[in-house]
Amino acid sequence: MEQNQNIDLLRFATAGSVDDGKSTLIGRLLYDSKSIFEDQLNLIKTFSKTHRNQEIDYSLVTDGLKSEREQGITIDVAYRFYSTPKRRFIIADTPGHEQYTRNMATGASNASLALILIDARNGIVTQTKRHSFISSLLGIRDFVVAVNKMDLVDYSEEVFDSIVKEYNEFADKLSEESIYFIPISALKGDNVIERSENMPWYKGSTLLDYLENVNVSGGRNLTDFRFPVQYVNWGGGDDFRGYCGTISSGVIHKGDEVRVLPSGKTSQISRIVTYDGDLDYAFAPMAITLCLEDDIDISRGDVIAKSDDLPAITGSLEANIVWMDSDSMKIGKDYLIKHTTKTVKGSFTEVLHEFDPDDITEKSSEFLSLNEIGKVNLELKSPIFADIYSENKITGSFIVIDPHTNQTAAAGMITKYRQVSPAKGCESVKARVIRYSGDKKEDAQANYDRLSMQGTHCIYVDDELLQETLCRGVPVGSEEYSQAIDGLCEIVTRSGVSVVLCSESVRS
Amino acid sequence: MAAAEESYRLSNLKTLEAESIGIMREVAAEFENPVMLYSVGKDSSVMAHLAIKAFYPKKVPFPLLHIDTGFKFPEMYEFRDSYTKKHNLDLKVHRNEEAIARGINPLSVGTVKCCAELKTKALLDGLNEGGYDAAFGGARRDEEKSRAKERIFSFRDKHGQWNPKDQKPELWNLFNSKIDPGESIRVFPLSNWTELDIWTYIYHENIEIVPLYFAKKRKVIEKHGQLIPVYTDEHKEEVKEVMCRFRTLGCHYCTGAVRSDADTLPKIIEEMMVARHSERITRVIDHDQDSSMEQKKKEGYF
């Protein structure tokens, strides 16, 4: 019982072309881990015998819609669950058909690992690449590539090796951090849960073993505190006024000084309220209610952040877009952009390029159509409070809604923004101090380069510069030196510039 | 940093709880007139508990709606009234009075027709009359294969119908709540919970549930392999006393009990962990025909 309370959770999405055997594999994982109840299994067995002329068709475990079973294909994402003593899994089993690519993206957007299936007979096809690319764009950094149907290629090591080589060449263009290859047969069960005797040449993990033990890298930003206000809880005859929301990233403590956007007003956290009692601190992705010391006018869509680390206020974005609507993108048309808890009007001004999913090359394009992926410029009619997607999935993502049809037309991931200048009525823009100790000079320099490339106004401050200017003659490491640095940072951040600080006397 | 990372880790249940609370607040913020469907079962208890948590210290800002067929277990009515009163929840009840007056019941017209009249029609009329634009339901994706396909925000047309082949993509936690007048959204805040999560959460949070979930000796008759409870003097000769409990609650005509000695939450959880049959096996209506749940959902049932 306690185990289920504390066990951790891995969300993964399947990907790959139609008929690569995704549903069969998931069916097999559930069946072999005894996660299918007997009554459900009996229904599947009966249907398999009467309609498919086979003992058991594992794909029926996940293909839950009548039209899917009739056509033998997956149309929409099925969310499946299974647990082992080590981990709990939520699987988004996604469709392979190109026609249903948007449903694949739906499944992948909340996953932290992609399980990509390849049919050993066909090798890598366009959908393998398209899905790998979408997974990578959506920020998934861990891939498991299962080369399936090994039984149909005589369990050949050469076939497996050549697919591994080809996939690796393609994946050089993606930003994945780890790829693990496993030769399997979902139908026969080789290397799914049990090690295969048919492939003695394979020395790696079985699929289940890998999924149970993989340490999924990153994803969660615990540095930058972001709290989009979702719901203002007040009224009803008492003085209580709280701001409800889910922490997008970072950590907040009672007493912390915060700044509210867009007003730019500052205050302190007076209470972190939950039904189970007030908390001293809270972190992403907790759903909490914040109270402030001061009476500030705050509404849904505002953002509470820490004074020295703010998101950008921007109305001008560059973003990667996956188009999901059968109506193509129209340049200049007003769409609704839902970003965190704020929905604003906005229009696409230009398609910078479309991606060819086959080789991730860029080609020119006037607009995007169903299932196409591209990089665009977008102008908003009111500012949002945003970060770059690679730094912050929640404050870096948005959906596009067509106001005429109410359809979700696209998913967007912010790659760059242009700041609204402080003179245009916003008191604060993204500004923060990023501190590195003296021995992290390379990291500091690299971060500075990256921020500059993204268009963030920032300056680089190290001991050399400080000794030449502000802190001439002041010993490094002294209290006076640290105070001088803090004072400098304060002045600079107030003007809306970020500081990358690398110093022997850095304090956290 | 590794130690700090560890102290900033949420358990599985706390992650699910935070996700559900986030969904409820989003609906309260974005819709004019939301309602929470309340069926008095264990999932409803968890859902209502989460709503209380989401808006604490204030009152839950939307009503609870019970679609009452008139055939629920007597213990359910008793629990419903005392629970909602205790927690200051705004309970509304809707019944298809016309069909009830006609004497519709599963024995007279069969389960398919009975559900269509007393549940689906009553639900659609109830939602219509209240003018609700969003309705929470406690369905979970692990319950049944067509439910595994549901979005969290699930669009319904002017007639309350679901089109499983044309669902809106749902990215990250950004929910599209734009609808035209007359259309509505069904919201499933418990989508990612499993039956075991529900029980474990009930145990940890000390959530009240209808006593029918706990095993005790009950008067039942055995019909098509199901233990059907008896509340009248009918079938006197077939009635036997069996130690049993309910895994799921519906109408007392159509919900079977399972033989069990589990009379406490830990025992129920233990039983769950070794269960070899799905919870809905005791629900007669799920087995009317192939894809019966998918069909009912298309027509407007939850």
Side-chain angles (χ1 to χ4, degrees):
Chain A
M1 231 181 290
E2 293 306 318
Q3 209 176 15
N4 186 55
Q5 159 89 355
N6 293 314
I7 199 168
D8 81 340
L9 177 65
L10 177 69
R11 293 183 192 228
F12 68 92
T14 63
S17 189
V18 64
D19 289 335
D20 280 350
K22 291 189 297 294
S23 301
T24 305
L25 175 63
I26 301 309
R28 164 67 74 174
L29 269 176
L30 294 169
Y31 178 74
D32 283 3
S33 63
K34 302 198 167 40
S35 305
I36 307 174
F37 290 119
E38 272 170 24
D39 50 316
Q40 292 167 342
L41 190 63
N42 288 337
L43 288 176
I44 291 164
K45 281 185 173 163
T46 310
F47 194 94
S48 301
K49 275 189 196 129
T50 48
H51 295 268
R52 301 283 161 81
N53 199 21
Q54 63 192 80
E55 178 62 21
I56 175 161
D57 179 351
Y58 294 104
S59 72
L60 294 171
V61 174
T62 57
D63 286 344
L65 300 176
K66 203 171 179 186
S67 38
E68 292 179 321
R69 291 194 296 280
E70 283 162 5
Q71 297 173 51
I73 60 163
T74 308
I75 292 172
D76 209 336
V77 197
Y79 294 90
R80 289 284 158 178
F81 307 82
Y82 75 100
S83 309
T84 69
K86 285 195 174 158
R87 230 178 205 164
R88 208 192 135 201
F89 300 91
I90 298 182
I91 314 165
D93 182 29
T94 72
H97 269 262
E98 185 178 344
Q99 186 187 350
Y100 302 115
T101 300
R102 64 182 190 187
N103 293 336
M104 186 270 155
T106 289
S109 70
N110 287 318
S112 43
L113 179 141
L115 169 58
I116 291 160
L117 256 83
I118 296 175
D119 184 330
R121 296 169 304 172
N122 306 332
I124 293 159
V125 295
T126 300
Q127 278 304 78
T128 321
K129 295 176 182 173
R130 189 189 296 266
H131 284 178
S132 301
F133 181 47
I134 292 175
S135 302
S136 169
L137 264 191
L138 285 167
I140 298 178
R141 295 291 167 259
D142 291 271
F143 288 54
V144 185
V145 178
V147 180
N148 191 22
K149 307 195 185 180
M150 288 300 291
D151 53 314
L152 300 180
V153 295
D154 299 327
Y155 298 106
S156 157
E157 188 176 5
E158 287 71 37
V159 170
F160 178 71
D161 286 347
S162 85
I163 290 174
V164 170
K165 186 162 170 282
E166 195 192 341
Y167 189 87
N168 272 328
E169 280 166 13
F170 163 78
D172 276 348
K173 295 163 189 144
L174 305 176
S175 40
E176 89 295 333
E177 279 165 17
S178 99
I179 311 178
Y180 195 82
F181 294 92
I182 308 177
I184 65 164
S185 164
L187 193 65
K188 311 263 172 181
D190 296 274
N191 288 334
V192 178
I193 287 175
E194 302 289 334
R195 290 201 66 81
S196 170
E197 288 173 9
N198 298 311
M199 291 176 273
W201 46 266
Y202 174 73
K203 307 285 182 226
S205 304
T206 62
L207 180 62
L208 181 70
D209 199 33
Y210 185 79
L211 292 173
E212 275 189 325
N213 292 298
V214 60
N215 198 352
V216 173
S217 49
R220 206 156 64 111
N221 177 336
L222 283 172
T223 313
D224 310 301
F225 176 70
R226 303 281 185 265
F227 187 79
V229 175
Q230 190 182 20
Y231 181 88
V232 182
N233 205 12
W234 68 288
D238 60 35
D239 284 344
F240 183 85
R241 187 182 182 88
Y243 305 98
C244 303
T246 299
I247 303 177
S248 301
S249 57
V251 182
I252 190 78
H253 288 80
K254 191 183 163 195
D256 279 352
E257 185 175 279
V258 289
R259 194 185 291 272
V260 182
L261 299 179
S263 74
K265 295 205 167 88
T266 57
S267 185
Q268 287 85 37
I269 300 292
S270 62
R271 289 179 67 191
I272 302 172
V273 178
T274 76
Y275 174 87
D276 302 304
D278 280 16
L279 304 175
D280 290 330
Y281 70 98
F283 51 90
M286 290 168 75
I288 52 163
T289 299
L290 294 177
C291 298
L292 301 184
E293 289 288 354
D294 305 279
D295 202 6
I296 302 178
D297 178 23
I298 302 175
S299 0
R300 173 173 163 87
D302 289 0
V303 167
I304 299 176
K306 286 191 185 163
S307 299
D308 61 353
D309 177 2
L310 300 172
I313 298 180
T314 176
S316 183
L317 304 173
E318 180 193 279
N320 285 323
I321 294 282
V322 182
W323 198 260
M324 302 179 151
D325 198 354
S326 45
D327 291 347
S328 300
M329 168 192 287
K330 288 187 185 60
I331 300 292
K333 170 179 171 170
D334 269 351
Y335 289 96
L336 295 171
I337 309 297
K338 184 166 185 183
H339 171 264
T340 66
T341 56
K342 200 175 166 82
T343 304
V344 302
K345 277 188 190 164
S347 59
F348 297 99
T349 51
E350 110 180 272
V351 176
L352 297 166
H353 54 253
E354 192 193 324
F355 292 101
D356 183 341
D358 247 331
D359 50 9
I360 326 281
T361 51
E362 298 165 5
K363 55 183 184 184
S364 68
S365 176
E366 297 290 308
F367 58 88
L368 298 175
S369 298
L370 183 63
N371 297 327
E372 289 180 344
I373 303 161
K375 185 167 276 185
V376 303
N377 276 332
L378 180 60
E379 291 294 324
L380 308 178
K381 303 228 160 135
S382 330
I384 57 168
F385 317 109
D387 293 288
I388 304 290
Y389 186 74
S390 60
E391 286 182 11
N392 205 318
K393 269 188 156 186
I394 311 277
T395 52
S397 59
F398 59 87
I399 55 169
V400 179
I401 301 169
D402 187 319
H404 298 135
T405 60
N406 295 331
Q407 274 299 329
T408 304
M413 290 145 277
I414 300 169
T415 49
K416 212 188 252 184
Y417 43 70
R418 202 172 65 235
Q419 308 254 11
V420 173
S421 81
K424 277 191 182 158
C426 294
E427 196 180 305
S428 51
V429 293
K430 180 177 181 121
R432 57 182 164 169
V433 182
I434 307 160
R435 294 165 197 265
Y436 291 91
S437 56
D439 57 348
K440 292 275 189 324
K441 194 172 166 64
E442 275 180 24
D443 293 349
Q445 194 71 51
N447 199 7
Y448 170 73
D449 291 344
R450 194 178 51 86
L451 287 170
S452 305
M453 299 226 320
Q454 283 170 2
T456 306
H457 300 290
C458 61
I459 58 167
Y460 182 82
V461 178
D462 60 7
D463 287 330
E464 207 175 317
L465 178 67
L466 287 163
Q467 292 283 305
E468 275 173 25
T469 57
L470 189 68
C471 299
R472 197 174 299 160
V474 182
V476 178
S478 68
E479 184 58 26
E480 197 188 339
Y481 193 90
S482 298
Q483 279 177 4
I485 294 177
D486 288 346
L488 171 73
C489 292
E490 170 78 28
I491 294 167
V492 178
T493 48
R494 273 193 201 172
S495 70
V497 176
S498 295
V499 180
V500 176
L501 172 71
C502 179
S503 167
E504 293 297 334
S505 56
V506 74
R507 47 185 184 189
S508 59
Chain B
M1 194 62 192
E5 279 273 350
E6 195 50 34
S7 67
Y8 298 143
R9 208 179 69 89
L10 275 192
S11 71
N12 170 41
L13 283 180
K14 285 287 170 194
T15 307
L16 291 170
E17 178 189 75
E19 183 183 75
S20 302
I21 287 176
I23 293 164
M24 289 181 184
R25 290 169 170 174
E26 192 66 10
V27 170
E30 293 232 309
F31 289 88
E32 299 267 317
N33 192 14
V35 69
M36 179 169 279
L37 270 293
Y38 178 71
S39 71
V40 203
K42 62 184 187 301
D43 301 303
S44 278
S45 275
V46 167
M47 192 161 61
H49 181 76
L50 288 165
I52 292 166
K53 281 193 151 187
F55 302 99
Y56 173 85
K58 305 284 185 189
K59 196 174 170 318
V60 174
F62 40 74
L64 269 56
L65 176 62
H66 181 219
I67 300 303
D68 180 18
T69 58
F71 293 121
K72 301 292 173 186
F73 293 91
E75 291 91 333
M76 290 171 76
Y77 293 112
E78 202 178 302
F79 179 87
R80 177 192 76 186
D81 294 339
S82 70
Y83 181 84
T84 49
K85 193 167 170 226
K86 180 174 165 191
H87 294 281
N88 197 16
L89 297 163
D90 176 13
L91 174 73
K92 296 189 186 306
V93 177
H94 186 89
R95 293 153 53 111
N96 183 349
E97 297 292 0
E98 180 272 327
I100 292 171
R102 262 193 290 134
I104 294 288
N105 69 57
L107 303 175
S108 67
V109 296
T111 57
V112 176
K113 254 192 180 164
C114 185
C115 269
E117 298 248 23
L118 296 183
K119 287 175 129 179
T120 305
K121 185 168 184 333
L123 171 67
L124 294 177
D125 289 349
L127 292 177
N128 229 352
E129 273 172 34
Y132 303 114
D133 51 359
F136 292 101
R140 309 186 318 266
R141 285 168 174 160
D142 79 326
E143 271 181 88
E144 195 271 337
K145 54 190 183 280
S146 70
R147 286 186 168 162
K149 296 271 171 180
E150 274 277 14
R151 296 286 187 264
I152 290 173
F153 272 43
S154 192
F155 177 79
R156 294 294 192 277
D157 68 11
K158 288 189 169 64
H159 309 289
Q161 299 174 115
W162 181 56
N163 182 358
K165 285 173 87 170
D166 188 25
Q167 301 196 73
K168 293 182 187 185
E170 197 159 86
L171 283 295
W172 304 287
N173 297 319
L174 288 170
F175 302 108
N176 177 351
S177 38
K178 296 291 167 205
I179 51 170
D180 287 334
E183 297 168 345
S184 63
I185 302 271
R186 303 281 171 87
V187 185
F188 301 104
L190 303 182
S191 284
N192 290 325
W193 296 59
T194 63
E195 188 185 8
L196 185 57
D197 293 326
I198 293 286
W199 281 116
T200 319
Y201 190 70
I202 287 171
Y203 172 72
H204 280 285
E205 297 277 313
N206 209 9
I207 298 171
E208 299 136 272
I209 48 170
V210 184
L212 290 164
Y213 287 112
F214 297 105
K216 73 169 197 182
K217 281 213 157 131
R218 294 189 167 88
K219 286 189 174 142
V220 295
I221 53 164
E222 205 153 357
K223 224 168 82 182
H224 310 302
Q226 308 265 21
L227 298 175
I228 305 290
V230 184
Y231 286 95
T232 60
D233 286 338
E234 289 173 77
H235 316 288
K236 235 180 190 164
E237 59 287 355
E238 300 157 52
V239 171
K240 47 187 170 183
E241 281 217 329
V242 177
M243 187 74 174
C244 61
R245 68 178 201 89
F246 293 85
R247 267 178 86 179
T248 162
L249 294 175
C251 296
H252 63 73
Y253 275 116
C254 297
T255 308
V258 290
R259 284 173 209 275
S260 167
D261 294 324
D263 54 2
T264 64
L265 283 170
K267 282 189 200 167
I268 290 176
I269 293 170
E270 210 175 296
E271 190 182 276
M272 267 295 317
M273 290 173 122
V274 296
R276 294 304 308 137
H277 291 99
S278 75
E279 60 183 316
R280 295 195 71 92
I281 196 168
T282 55
R283 295 294 280 270
V284 175
I285 56 163
D286 280 15
H287 314 301
D288 298 338
Q289 61 200 74
D290 181 41
S291 306
S292 62
M293 179 62 81
E294 182 181 345
Q295 195 54 39
K296 285 194 184 76
K297 276 155 59 69
K298 279 184 183 169
E299 289 159 8
Y301 182 63
F302 254 81

